[in-house]
Amino acid sequence: MKYRTDLAIERMEMAVSKADDSGDKAGGKREGSPAGGEADGISVEKEECGDGVSVTRIEITSLAGEARLEKPMGNYITIEAEGITEGAEETKEKAGQVIAGELSRLIKFHSRLKVLVAGLGNAMVTPDSLGPAAVSKIRVTNHLFEMFGADEDDEMSRVSCIAPGVTATTGMETAEIVAEIARLVRPEVVIVIDSLAARDIQRLNTTVQITDTGISPGAGTGNHRTGIDEKTVGARVVAIGVPTVIDITTVIGDALADNVENVEKMERYMEEYDRQMIVTSTDIDMLIKDFSDIIANGINKTLHPGIYS
């Protein structure tokens, strides 16, 4: 079965599982990349942060690692916080702090830092509205620098924001819109926020992924658009996403995991009738609000340390 996922941590788990299965079939157990180790151009580091929040940092360091995880070389940071779905305030607060800390590793604040934040997705479709919801809560400051003729500030970055919509409603490639705005703003860093797809239902609405390799809008749901990365926008791109949807085929396949015959029948049925369905949770509206708050707070703390301490 071809699983859809935007998460590097799930790609790694699938690669390890595949390697282990190959070892079993060859007559001996062959272990995949262990936590904290490095194999095939992939290094992994895990950390428990308290209040139910953990971080897994994956770095792809070679072409072999790229091929294994089907992701470009770079850093992939996964923050997992299951308590968010239960409304735990301490988990939300801790998740925001961890996001700010991880972003600060990738984006070093300085008095002349200029950043463009783009909230990707469709504001009218709740599972896809994370980007527009989060970007509406970012403290925008570019106009203040213009108003006072300032070139630098020790407390805050020069931040511009945009919610470019989706191709179906604008008729334009989102990457082209972001690239054109970046040409006008000339940021040092572009931060993009988007909804993602997961392979494991346990990671639905409990996980945040941060990467410095850019993003391909719609890739996890099979709707590939032009990528938003340093090559296409002319500035370093840091992407932040939350898996809000999962392929129904994956859910059914996992439920039937112990019955291979039924899994094969299900796969044939889906292929024959071309039933491509993406599902989300019933409380997605509240989760979008929670995660947009958490992500916006993390970004504001990173970009405006003198205001959000």
Side-chain angles (χ1 to χ4, degrees):
M1 185 187 300
K2 180 66 173 178
Y3 293 107
R4 293 175 176 174
T5 180
D6 290 308
L7 301 178
I9 192 171
E10 293 189 336
R11 289 287 182 191
M12 183 186 69
E13 291 168 349
M14 290 157 61
V16 169
S17 177
K18 182 178 180 181
D20 289 346
D21 288 343
S22 297
D24 285 340
K25 291 177 181 178
K29 189 70 173 177
R30 186 169 80 86
E31 296 294 339
S33 179
E38 183 168 354
D40 298 333
I42 303 166
S43 66
V44 184
E45 176 188 357
K46 292 188 176 182
E47 179 182 349
E48 294 295 331
C49 303
D51 293 320
V53 180
S54 64
V55 178
T56 303
R57 304 181 187 95
I58 299 172
E59 184 179 8
I60 301 176
T61 58
S62 71
L63 293 177
E66 282 192 351
R68 194 173 185 215
L69 297 194
E70 301 178 21
K71 294 280 188 183
M73 282 188 282
N75 294 287
Y76 298 85
I77 301 160
T78 305
I79 300 163
E80 297 180 86
E82 293 186 12
I84 289 176
T85 59
E86 302 165 1
E89 291 301 323
E90 63 274 14
T91 301
K92 296 177 189 177
E93 179 64 26
K94 173 60 75 172
Q97 293 173 359
V98 173
I99 288 173
E102 296 301 321
L103 282 175
S104 296
R105 292 172 181 252
L106 301 177
I107 305 172
K108 301 298 184 182
F109 174 81
H110 58 85
S111 62
R112 292 179 175 270
L113 180 61
K114 185 184 290 188
V115 179
L116 171 64
V117 184
L120 310 185
N122 190 338
M124 303 303 293
V125 179
T126 306
D128 196 32
S129 65
L130 175 68
V135 84
S136 69
K137 302 169 185 178
I138 302 297
R139 180 177 284 262
V140 178
T141 58
N142 184 65
H143 61 299
L144 300 177
F145 282 80
E146 293 285 350
M147 185 184 304
F148 295 104
D151 294 323
E152 60 183 308
D153 192 286
D154 292 330
E155 295 188 340
M156 62 183 181
S157 304
R158 187 165 183 164
V159 177
S160 303
C161 287
I162 181 176
V166 294
T167 302
T169 59
T170 66
M172 296 175 282
E173 283 284 354
T174 303
E176 294 176 355
I177 297 174
V178 175
E180 189 63 21
I181 298 298
R183 186 185 67 80
L184 296 173
V185 175
R186 291 178 292 178
E188 179 180 327
V189 181
V190 175
I191 299 175
V192 294
I193 309 165
D194 199 9
S195 300
L196 306 177
R199 176 258 178 273
D200 185 346
I201 198 169
Q202 297 297 322
R203 288 200 170 94
L204 204 62
N205 302 311
T206 65
T207 303
V208 178
Q209 177 174 268
I210 304 173
T211 175
D212 59 2
T213 62
I215 194 169
S216 179
T221 58
N223 183 25
H224 293 268
R225 312 304 311 180
T226 302
I228 300 174
D229 51 32
E230 187 167 1
K231 182 178 180 181
T232 57
V233 304
R236 192 159 62 90
V237 176
V238 172
I240 307 172
V242 174
T244 60
V245 296
I246 190 170
D247 191 333
I248 188 63
T249 306
T250 301
V251 178
I252 298 174
D254 286 347
L256 301 174
D258 294 329
N259 192 322
V260 177
E261 182 180 349
N262 282 343
V263 172
E264 292 173 347
K265 287 181 180 179
M266 179 272 296
E267 289 179 356
R268 287 197 298 271
Y269 174 80
M270 290 294 189
E271 290 175 0
E272 182 178 354
Y273 292 97
D274 194 25
R275 301 297 175 94
Q276 296 184 11
M277 292 181 285
I278 304 296
V279 297
T280 191
S281 58
T282 55
D283 57 349
I284 187 61
D285 52 345
M286 288 303 300
L287 290 167
I288 289 293
K289 178 189 179 301
D290 286 343
F291 272 106
S292 61
D293 286 342
I294 291 167
I295 290 171
N297 286 339
I299 293 174
N300 283 331
K301 287 179 180 178
T302 302
L303 302 184
H304 308 306
I307 302 174
Y308 300 87
S309 55

